[in-house]
Amino acid sequence: MGEHIGLLFFSGTGNTQIVTELIQSTLQSKEVIVDIICIEEIVNQNKVVDMDQYSMIGIGYPVYGFKEPRIMKKLTEILPRTKTKDVFIFETAADFISINNNSSQYVIRKLHKKGYNVFYTRIICMGSNFFMKYDDELIKQLYLSALSKVEELCTDVLSRKKRIKTTNFLLRLTTNILHWFEDECLARIFGKSLRVLETCSHCGKCVRNCPSKNIRIKNKKISFKWNCLLCMRCIYNCPKNAIRSRGLSFLILKDGYNIKKIIESSDIKGKYITKDTKGFMKHFQRYFNDSSI
Ligand SMILES: Cc1cc2nc3c(=O)[nH]c(=O)nc-3n(C[C@H](O)[C@H](O)[C@H](O)COP(=O)(O)O)c2cc1C
């Protein structure tokens, strides 16, 4: 019997969803049956997934504060125990800095305890969706490079190639502290700092779409609670662009973030980094040229 793979993903602003769909279409072109399951449906809507139907599972999420988004903790609690199910983890991030390599450690540990065998991790750079704006040309270039990185990932996982990236103790300790600050302080305070402008039409899109059910609407009044993941989805998807932060607006990209628009635009060619590029972004040359990253 051929492979039947379940891809579980969480995506705040679309990057991880795009990579998940790329993995799906690449695997399908290799005669693999692939189901995509949104992690929010499992965590928030109690969707039950029969893991036994899959020969392998892929789990995808963005890197938040060098580690996993809080929703992944809930997922690892909910997932049923299994007997040696093969799992690969794919993450998306703004950069390929090695400090990001700690982002799968928690998930690997929790899944191992439940009988899953995580044999492969890979970070695909898709650009930054908060704080630091990347040029659209660079985002497109990262997307174009993701096509070949995903192709390689699919070949690797189908042959069960082992690839686990970890960090040393000192980096792990540092990322754990930084992540605690990002997740338990910054994200929650950011959520509570959000307000809607008078232009808000009370359409309820932000309420329906919030992955942590952090936004409420009562008597046409939108309120934000303390459970924000800092995923940025509500802000960039508001039809009236009416959501603002009081005090932490520097985290929000001024012109929003719409990866689909960048990918679909034929004016954006994806030619940002060249061999002559200078400055900070020059380090992406290594990412584009080295297929092992
Ligand atoms: C709260 C937050 C924290 C982030 N932390 C990191 C990080 O530590 N390292 C990194 O490379 N990118 C970081 N990013 C960038 C995202 O990982 C990246 O843009 C990702 O592709 C977004 O995926 P999504 O669109 O599926 O949500 C962060 C983004 C957010 C919103």
Side-chain angles (χ1 to χ4, degrees):
M1 224 175 65
E3 294 262 22
H4 184 186
I5 297 180
L7 295 178
L8 278 55
F9 81 98
F10 167 70
S11 178
T13 58
N15 288 355
T16 315
Q17 182 167 357
I18 278 162
V19 171
T20 307
E21 287 164 0
L22 280 178
I23 294 174
Q24 181 188 39
S25 57
T26 309
L27 288 172
Q28 281 171 339
S29 72
K30 297 175 192 292
E31 312 287 313
V32 177
I33 302 171
V34 186
D35 299 338
I36 288 189
I37 304 131
C38 182
I39 287 173
E40 284 159 71
E41 286 177 28
I42 301 176
V43 170
N44 294 335
Q45 293 159 28
N46 303 324
K47 180 179 176 141
V48 178
V49 182
D50 174 16
M51 293 296 163
D52 288 337
Q53 67 184 305
Y54 299 119
S55 53
M56 182 160 43
I57 293 161
I59 299 184
Y61 53 88
V63 176
Y64 282 0
F66 313 114
K67 290 194 76 184
E68 71 292 326
R70 201 183 311 137
I71 196 167
M72 297 308 297
K73 294 201 170 83
K74 286 195 186 149
L75 179 78
T76 53
E77 279 164 23
I78 292 171
L79 281 184
R81 290 187 177 277
T82 177
K83 283 191 191 130
T84 60
K85 182 79 60 198
D86 285 337
V87 177
F88 63 96
I89 292 177
F90 56 99
E91 293 142 300
T92 66
D95 209 306
F96 62 101
I97 36 172
S98 56
I99 196 167
N100 276 343
N101 286 333
N102 196 24
S103 54
S104 50
Q105 295 312 296
Y106 175 88
V107 179
I108 294 176
R109 208 172 56 244
K110 290 290 170 184
L111 290 182
H112 272 176
K113 281 188 185 157
K114 289 196 162 180
Y116 296 85
N117 169 40
V118 182
F119 67 98
Y120 192 93
T121 61
R122 188 165 196 138
I123 295 176
I124 310 257
C125 291
M126 289 292 283
S128 172
N129 63 350
F130 94 132
F131 182 53
M132 183 176 171
K133 185 183 162 29
Y134 282 14
D135 192 286
D136 287 352
E137 286 289 339
L138 175 57
I139 294 172
K140 183 76 159 260
Q141 197 170 3
L142 287 167
Y143 165 75
L144 294 174
S145 92
L147 301 177
S148 52
K149 304 262 181 202
V150 162
E151 181 70 45
E152 199 177 280
L153 176 150
C154 292
T155 308
D156 287 351
V157 298
L158 289 177
S159 63
R160 301 298 195 275
K161 181 176 170 179
K162 276 200 168 46
R163 184 188 198 268
I164 301 280
K165 297 270 182 181
T166 51
T167 51
N168 63 35
F169 173 75
L170 207 62
L171 269 187
R172 239 180 0 257
L173 187 70
T174 315
T175 50
N176 287 351
I177 295 168
L178 290 173
H179 178 73
W180 179 86
F181 173 75
E182 182 274 321
D183 191 45
E184 288 300 329
C185 304
L186 191 63
R188 293 180 191 279
I189 294 169
F190 178 79
K192 206 57 197 162
S193 81
L194 296 177
R195 300 284 180 273
V196 291
L197 303 177
E198 280 182 2
T199 48
C200 167
S201 63
H202 307 102
C203 67
K205 188 174 180 186
C206 57
V207 180
R208 286 191 301 278
N209 284 347
C210 176
S212 61
K213 298 182 177 169
N214 194 50
I215 313 174
R216 310 272 163 80
I217 184 164
K218 201 175 169 190
N219 301 330
K220 286 200 163 186
K221 195 174 175 326
I222 303 273
S223 61
F224 297 84
K225 306 296 171 194
W226 287 99
N227 203 26
C228 180
L229 295 180
L230 230 176
C231 78
M232 314 301 285
R233 190 189 292 167
C234 60
I235 296 165
Y236 300 146
N237 285 292
C238 173
K240 299 282 179 189
N241 186 18
I243 304 179
R244 297 286 185 279
S245 163
R246 270 202 213 133
L248 292 169
S249 52
F250 64 93
L251 294 176
I252 303 171
L253 300 184
K254 205 160 50 63
D255 301 324
Y257 185 77
N258 188 338
I259 179 79
K260 277 212 167 122
K261 214 166 132 190
I262 295 171
I263 291 171
E264 282 162 12
S265 164
S266 53
D267 294 335
I268 306 169
K269 307 286 183 212
K271 291 193 167 65
Y272 186 80
I273 305 282
T274 64
K275 60 180 177 17
D276 304 319
T277 303
K278 304 238 177 334
F280 176 69
M281 291 302 177
K282 180 180 179 307
H283 73 288
F284 274 108
Q285 274 172 356
R286 199 158 72 81
Y287 178 75
F288 292 131
N289 295 333
D290 186 346
S291 64
S292 70
I293 299 175

